[in-house]
C-alpha cells in the first residue's frame, strides 16, 4: 500500500485508511474490554467502635494495622 514519489516509497491514501480502520477497531475493542472490568464494592466503615467513628489507626488491605 505504497506509492512511489521521487524514487521513494510513501504510504498511499489507502494505506492510511487501512491503518486508521485498524486503529479504530483496536480502540473499540479496548473500550469493550474496559467496560467489562468488574468494579469493587464501596468500602464500608469499620464496625469496631460503638460510636460509628472510623478507626484512628490506618489499616492495610489485609486488615492489619499499618
Amino acid at each position: 500500500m505504497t506509492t512511489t514519489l521521487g524514487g521513494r516509497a510513501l504510504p498511499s491514501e489507502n494505506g492510511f485508511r487501512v491503518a486508521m480502520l485498524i486503529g479504530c477497531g483496536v480502540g473499540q475493542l479496548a473500550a469493550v474490554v474496559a467496560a467489562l472490568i468488574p468494579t469493587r464494592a464501596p468500602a464500608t466503615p469499620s464496625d469496631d467502635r460503638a460510636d460509628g467513628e472510623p478507626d484512628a489507626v490506618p489499616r492495610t488491605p489485609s486488615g492489619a494495622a499499618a
Side-chain angles (χ1 to χ4, degrees):
M1 296 190 185
T2 61
T3 185
T4 304
L5 181 66
R8 294 188 177 202
L10 299 173
S12 65
E13 181 181 348
N14 196 33
F16 279 110
R17 186 175 292 130
V18 169
M20 291 296 153
L21 288 174
I22 291 172
C24 288
V26 170
Q28 288 179 344
L29 179 64
V32 168
V33 169
L36 294 176
I37 296 174
T39 59
R40 285 199 242 179
T44 57
S46 176
D47 293 331
D48 293 340
R49 297 184 55 181
D51 60 0
E53 291 293 320
D55 289 342
V57 178
R59 303 277 180 183
T60 61
S62 65

